[in-house]
Amino acid sequence: MPTDAYRCGDRRSTVQTDRAVASSAIVTVEKRAAKHVPAAMRQMLALDDFEAAARRYLPRPVFGYVSGASETGASFLDNRKAFADDSFVPRILRNVGNRSQATSLFDVSYAHPFGISPMGLSALAAFDGDVALARTAGTMRIPSILSATSLTKLERVAREGGSRWFQAYLPGEADRIDAMVDRVAAAGFETFVLTVDVPVAANRENNVRNGFNAPLQPSLGLAWQGLTHPRWLVGTALRTLLRHGMPHFENMDAGRGPPILSRNLVRALGKRDQLGWEHVDRIRARWKGRLVLKGILSPEDAHLAREAGVDGIIVSNHGGRQLDGAISPLRMLAEIVERSGEMPVMLDSGVRRGTDVLKALALGARFVFVGRPFLYAAAVFGEAGVIHAANLLVDEIDRDMALLGVRDLAELSPSFLRRVS
Ligand code: GLV
């Protein structure tokens, strides 16, 4: 039974204490869906439904940037297939009443075993997207990770959001690293996620085909896209300009980056390709909070991370957006967990269903992160949409736990799975 009562559009998270209700979990979930979901969202029955809605709502360059992957999309496609390649072996007659999704990670108790991945340009796709995602995290008592390529000052997200995880892209330059670490610490973030799979920008041909650049270059094509997507133009673009002015890349460095719309500016990425383990040591020495590396796929790198005193890792191929053909995280998970000892291993890339979450946990992940569907939900429906999306996943996990024969996520193990292809 999910512990968070469902309150669409209401930021309070209400813990449901009446455990007796849990015995009629299926009925409750169905009633809740019918009663509280705003009419506009009633057709959003699964996370994938938000993608179709966002495809209609967003200008092509923006939707293409969010949905796209690199080159042939091989990793992106395999991220889904990897989940299908493991089937469940459910257990029966185990009294699965009073189910709990509570999950402890780094000694923090979260209501559910999933969080929101960092996503660049969220505030271009969704009005105040970075804050909406972080607020939902607070409402749902889950973490969300603010992206380095976000358009909202990290200090504001720390103040107004309900999550204290920040993700950085750093160059191999000590002074820029130190300044960024200090800025993130001063803002009150608790978890510093260093993404390590971006030594260079990926080859995203779809961005070129869709007319997407960062910064965006004003053009007739871009103007046409705005005019033919009036809900986005008024509800996101113009509303943002009026409320917050021209968005800038705010969090790439200690200082402010370029504006999102610019004819001739080029984003300075710095010496990202010179980042090495010595910089991880440097960050470890300077950052007093929890340090997480995101983008690990090799058991050897997991081992090195542990040796470097990192607190946790996110096994990820960046949602298929970096090295095309990079293996799907789920396929490496068990080996990585084995090399990681007590260091928590988390996973993202391709998680779309409660069953995916349970498969990753059964293979040893302590936590998973989900990206694009939450941003689609924020784009079309705002914060209420993200809450609805999160609740769909909560309900799926709850139902799937019962059908699988577990009451508590700690009961999951590889014995619940068989590789079928
Ligand atoms: C940003 O992190 C991206 O993958 O586009």
Side-chain angles (χ1 to χ4, degrees):
M1 179 67 201
T3 50
D4 280 334
Y6 192 27
R7 299 271 192 278
C8 235
D10 175 345
R11 290 196 191 117
R12 282 166 306 144
S13 166
T14 314
V15 177
Q16 203 159 27
T17 47
D18 183 3
R19 285 310 205 157
V21 181
S23 57
S24 58
I26 295 174
V27 173
T28 309
V29 163
E30 282 170 359
K31 262 201 225 145
R32 185 174 72 181
K35 202 163 153 199
H36 294 290
V37 177
M41 277 190 266
R42 297 233 172 103
Q43 292 311 310
M44 300 294 115
L45 303 177
L47 291 192
D48 278 340
D49 292 333
F50 290 96
E51 178 167 347
R55 184 189 293 274
R56 291 189 295 273
Y57 181 88
L58 292 170
R60 198 158 56 104
V62 179
F63 178 77
Y65 167 75
V66 178
S67 63
S70 50
E71 297 184 354
T72 69
S75 298
F76 175 79
L77 294 171
D78 190 62
N79 284 342
R80 293 298 304 133
K81 181 166 184 306
F83 284 102
D85 285 352
D86 277 310
S87 290
F88 286 117
V89 183
R91 301 295 309 277
I92 54 164
L93 299 175
R94 284 159 54 112
N95 183 357
V96 288
N98 289 338
R99 294 177 295 287
S100 166
Q101 298 183 26
T103 303
S104 158
L105 180 68
F106 304 133
D107 294 327
V108 177
S109 182
Y110 293 106
H112 309 289
F114 65 87
I116 304 177
S117 293
M119 284 170 288
L121 309 189
S122 294
L124 179 66
F127 175 72
D128 236 352
D130 299 304
V131 172
L133 294 171
R135 275 203 190 128
T136 302
T139 305
M140 297 297 297
R141 293 188 291 126
I142 58 173
S144 76
I145 311 178
L146 177 65
S147 165
T149 37
S150 47
L151 302 171
T152 314
K153 281 194 170 62
L154 60 87
E155 289 79 5
R156 183 177 158 227
V157 180
R159 257 193 334 269
E160 296 182 24
S163 179
R164 297 276 185 281
W165 291 53
F166 178 78
Q167 173 263 324
Y169 290 125
L170 292 174
E173 292 167 76
D175 49 342
R176 287 175 71 181
I177 292 176
D178 291 355
M180 193 63 198
V181 167
D182 292 350
R183 179 180 169 198
V184 177
F189 282 88
E190 290 162 3
T191 305
F192 192 97
V193 180
L194 176 65
T195 296
V196 289
D197 56 10
V198 287
V200 292
N203 183 20
R204 303 203 187 145
E205 292 156 12
N206 70 294
N207 284 345
V208 181
R209 294 186 214 284
N210 289 322
F212 178 88
N213 292 295
L216 286 167
Q217 277 155 21
S219 67
L220 275 180
L222 197 61
W224 176 248
Q225 281 296 321
L227 290 172
T228 51
H229 294 84
R231 285 174 62 211
W232 174 85
L233 183 67
V234 174
T236 303
L238 295 178
R239 195 170 162 207
T240 301
L241 283 173
L242 284 175
R243 281 277 179 91
H244 303 300
M246 173 64 71
H248 284 59
F249 289 92
E250 299 284 0
N251 304 318
M252 293 292 287
D253 249 313
R256 194 177 210 200
I260 181 71
L261 195 67
S262 166
R263 187 168 288 288
N264 46 23
L265 266 171
V266 177
R267 268 160 72 204
L269 298 185
K271 300 174 186 164
R272 266 201 212 159
D273 57 352
Q274 293 177 23
L275 193 71
W277 285 105
E278 69 277 18
H279 299 111
V280 174
D281 293 341
R282 186 175 187 98
I283 297 167
R284 180 66 293 178
R286 201 169 180 96
W287 173 257
K288 302 300 172 222
R290 289 179 289 269
L291 177 60
V292 170
L293 297 191
K294 171 175 175 286
I296 284 187
L297 289 169
S298 144
E300 187 56 26
D301 284 338
H303 172 74
L304 292 173
R306 186 177 163 209
E307 299 275 291
V310 160
D311 295 298
I313 57 172
I314 304 179
V315 186
S316 164
N317 65 14
H318 211 118
R321 291 163 77 83
Q322 284 302 117
L323 175 65
D324 191 33
I327 193 160
S328 299
L330 195 77
R331 300 193 191 283
M332 294 307 298
L333 186 57
E335 273 180 72
I336 287 179
V337 167
E338 204 179 308
R339 291 298 301 278
S340 298
E342 290 302 301
M343 178 179 69
V345 175
M346 298 158 270
L347 174 140
D348 80 6
S349 303
V351 176
R352 294 291 178 272
R353 287 280 182 181
T355 49
D356 301 337
V357 176
L358 297 184
K359 285 177 185 180
L361 298 186
L363 289 172
R366 290 275 289 278
F367 212 81
V368 305
F369 286 90
V370 182
R372 294 176 181 95
F374 287 130
L375 185 50
Y376 297 141
V380 185
F381 302 106
E383 212 173 307
V386 191
I387 292 176
H388 179 52
N391 273 310
L392 287 175
L393 200 54
V394 168
D395 291 349
E396 286 183 3
I397 294 169
D398 178 63
R399 189 181 297 108
D400 296 335
M401 286 174 73
L403 294 172
L404 193 55
V406 298
R407 253 167 127 138
D408 192 288
L409 297 170
E411 292 167 41
L412 289 166
S413 74
S415 68
F416 283 97
L417 293 177
R418 281 291 179 282
R419 178 56 57 95
V420 289
S421 77

